[in-house]
Amino acid sequence: MVAATADNHICYQQLGSNPIRSTYKSGRYVKDGTSSKYDWKGLMPPEDRLSICDHDRGFFVVANNQAAPDKFHGGYCRHSILTARANILEEMIRK
């Protein structure tokens, strides 16, 4: 969710249920279901979800791209896709 307030604040909040796994290996591929290696250990608590307000850049680019550095929650966002669309949007905003 992206929001702007009447008093000039901008925020990004990650919504939804986010599984916690024993490993954050890429979710792009089918996993071996014959073992518990990739089982969910639970769901990320709401207070641990990515939340950013008033970023130093003064804007957010939200285009299904990687929203946080690889180190966020031990790599939770590591395998998000860095899209060309997000790069183009950022370039357009900076002009």
Side-chain angles (χ1 to χ4, degrees), residues 37-58:
K37 182 177 179 181
Y38 298 106
D39 286 357
W40 290 14
K41 292 182 155 202
L43 296 174
M44 184 184 293
E47 62 271 13
D48 287 347
R49 294 181 191 149
L50 183 59
S51 180
I52 306 167
C53 284
D54 298 328
H55 193 283
D56 294 341
R57 293 187 309 187

Side-chain angles (χ1 to χ4, degrees), residues 12 14 44 48-52 55 57 60-62 64-82:
Y12 171 88
Q14 181 183 16
M44 184 184 293
D48 287 347
R49 294 181 191 149
L50 183 59
S51 180
I52 306 167
H55 193 283
R57 293 187 309 187
F60 299 106
V61 174
V62 181
N64 295 330
N65 53 300
Q66 185 173 1
D70 288 351
K71 64 184 178 180
F72 177 72
H73 280 290
Y76 189 82
C77 295
R78 180 180 305 140
H79 298 288
S80 299
I81 299 169
L82 295 170

